[in-house]
Amino acid sequence: MSIKVLHINTTNRGGAGIAALRLHTALLNSGVKSAFISKGFTVNFNDKIVKDTTFLYKKPTILNRLIVRLFPSKRRKLIRTFGRIKTNIESEIVSLPVSLYKLHNHPLVQEADVINLHWIGDFIDYKSFFKKVSKPIVFTLHDMNPFKGIFHYNIDVNKNLNFKYWEKAMYNLKKESLKYVSNGAIVSPSQWLLDEALKVDIFSNFKKHTVIQNSIEIKPDKALATKESSRIDFGLLEGENVILFISNALEIERKGFKEAKQALENIREPITLLTIGKGEIMIENPYVKVKSLGFIRDNDKISAAYRAADVLLLPSLEDNLPNTMLEAFANGTPVISFKVGGMVEHIETRVNGMLVNEINSEALKQTIIEFFNKKDSFDFKQIRTYADQKFSNISQASKYIMLYNQLLN
C-alpha cells in the first residue's frame, strides 16, 4: 500500500511553490500517493485538481461581523496589528506563524500518512496545527523563516532592529508550537541552510536532519531550442555577449541587484543584459544594452532565454538553492555567483560557472570580464550532465521516500 504524503505551501508559485510542486510530481511518478494544498491550488490524493472549499470566501452575516469587530480573537487582533505595522518594515518579505485557517481540520491532512511542510508563512497557524496534528512531519526549508520570527533572511533582520520585539515574539511562538512535534525531520536543499537552521534550538524535537537537493526536469537535447534559434527569437545577434538576470522583482536587495548594477555600469566591453522579472533595470553605461522580457510564465520561453544567454548572473547575497541555478544547469548554461549559500556547493569555477570570492561590485565586474574571455571553454553538455546527476527528480523522490518510511517505521 502506497504511503500518502501531503505537501503544504502557502502558494503554488514563487521559488518554494515551484520546488514543492516539482517534488509532488516526482513522488507521483515514483508511485507515491501525493497531494498538495495551497491558498489557491489544491490537488487531492487521486491527482485531481479540486475546488477547495476551505479557502472559499463565505460572506459573514451582519451579526457575525459585529461580533468579530467587538470581540475579535487573539489571533485576529494580532494579524490586524501586524497588518498595520508591517508597512513600516523595510524588507523583501515578512510573514506570521499565525493564521485564521484551521488546516489541522482539512480533509487531506486527516487522510495523509505524512505531512510535508514547505513555505507556510501566513498560512499555517503554528499553535493549533502542531498541537492537533500528531502525524509525522517533514519540514522542507526554502529560506530562513522556519527558524526565525517574522523575517526570512538575515539581511532583513539586521536592517530592522526596531522590530526585534516582533521577531523575538514570533520566534518564541514557533519554538513553543514545534515542541508538540514528536516525530519530525528537517530537510534542506543546501548544507548551508541546514547549518544555519541548526545554529538555534528551535528544531530540537526534530530528530532527523538531512540535505536533499531540489529537482529539475532534464529534457533531452533534441527537446531544447538551439542557442542560435533562441537568439533569433529574442532579437539577439550570434556574436553578442549575453548575460541573463532573473528575479521575481528585479530590484530585490538580497538578490544582489545593487552589486550587479554597479558592476555592469563599470564594464567597458559590449554586453547585452537580458532580464526576466517585474520591473526594469536601467544601466547607465553605453557598453551595456538592456533587453527586458518582463515577467514570463511560459516555461518554454524561459528555457529559450537560458539557451540564448552565455551565462546566468546570480549575485545573491544570501540564498538557499535557487531554482534559477538549477534551470540554468538543466539548459547547459553556466552561472556566475558570489561565494555564498547553496551556490558554493554546486558551482565549480571554469566548469559550470564562476564563483566571485569577494562580495562587491568590483570583484563581480572582474569575474564577468574573465568569464567572457573564457566563455568558449564551457561545455553545455557537461553542465547538463551535472544537473542530471545532482538534481534528478528520480533521485530526489527516492531520498524523500526513504525518509518518509523511516518516520513511519
Side-chain angles (χ1 to χ4, degrees), residues 311-312 314 324-325 328-329 333-337 347 352-355:
V311 65
L312 172 71
L314 181 61
T324 51
M325 180 174 71
F329 288 164
T333 305
V335 180
I336 292 176
S337 167
I347 296 175
N352 59 3
M354 299 189 75
L355 288 169

Side-chain angles (χ1 to χ4, degrees), residues 15-16 19-20 22-23 118 140-142 187-190 212-216 320-323 326 387 390-393 396 400:
R22 284 174 179 167
L23 172 58
H118 293 269
T140 299
L141 308 178
H142 294 276
V187 175
S188 173
S190 69
I212 304 176
Q213 286 89 8
N214 293 335
S215 65
I216 183 75
N320 172 23
L321 190 72
N323 288 331
L326 275 59
K390 290 292 184 179
F391 310 120
S392 84
N393 46 28
Q396 182 197 34
Y400 268 96

Side-chain angles (χ1 to χ4, degrees), residues 9-19 21 36 38 119 248 295 297:
N9 198 79
T10 304
T11 76
N12 63 321
R13 296 175 181 171
I18 292 168
L21 279 171
F36 183 93
S38 67
W119 198 104
N248 279 339
F295 191 80
R297 293 200 189 281

Side-chain angles (χ1 to χ4, degrees), residues 144-164:
M144 294 180 172
N145 183 253
F147 52 93
K148 294 196 177 297
I150 60 174
F151 295 106
H152 289 251
Y153 281 97
N154 284 328
I155 193 169
D156 287 333
V157 174
N158 295 333
K159 68 181 183 183
N160 286 282
L161 298 180
N162 289 342
F163 296 92
K164 60 184 178 182

Side-chain angles (χ1 to χ4, degrees), residues 185-314:
I186 298 299
V187 175
S188 173
S190 69
Q191 186 65 49
W192 167 76
L193 190 60
L194 183 60
D195 291 343
E196 290 292 317
L198 297 180
K199 287 178 181 178
V200 293
D201 62 352
I202 196 169
F203 294 122
S204 57
N205 273 25
F206 290 69
K207 304 306 180 186
K208 297 183 183 297
H209 316 129
T210 187
V211 173
I212 304 176
Q213 286 89 8
N214 293 335
S215 65
I216 183 75
E217 181 186 4
I218 311 297
K219 294 182 178 179
D221 286 349
K222 63 183 180 182
L224 296 176
T226 65
K227 181 180 286 288
E228 292 74 20
S229 66
S230 297
R231 290 204 165 191
I232 290 171
D233 288 343
F234 293 118
L236 301 169
L237 299 176
E238 184 179 344
E240 284 186 76
N241 288 331
V242 180
I243 293 175
L244 179 63
F245 182 74
I246 300 179
S247 179
N248 279 339
L250 295 175
E251 296 190 9
I252 293 175
E253 180 182 358
R254 181 180 60 84
K255 291 295 187 179
F257 166 75
K258 183 177 76 173
E259 288 74 14
K261 187 174 188 294
Q262 290 175 348
L264 291 170
E265 286 183 339
N266 288 308
I267 279 182
R268 294 298 175 263
E269 297 183 17
I271 284 175
T272 297
L273 179 66
L274 199 63
T275 71
I276 296 177
K278 295 175 184 175
E280 202 164 326
I281 293 178
M282 303 297 293
I283 303 296
E284 296 179 6
N285 183 349
Y287 288 92
V288 178
K289 179 176 70 175
V290 180
K291 192 174 185 66
S292 175
L293 301 179
F295 191 80
I296 302 175
R297 293 200 189 281
D298 186 321
N299 289 330
D300 288 337
K301 190 172 182 180
I302 293 172
S303 176
Y306 283 110
R307 301 287 292 139
D310 294 303
V311 65
L312 172 71
L313 186 59
L314 181 61

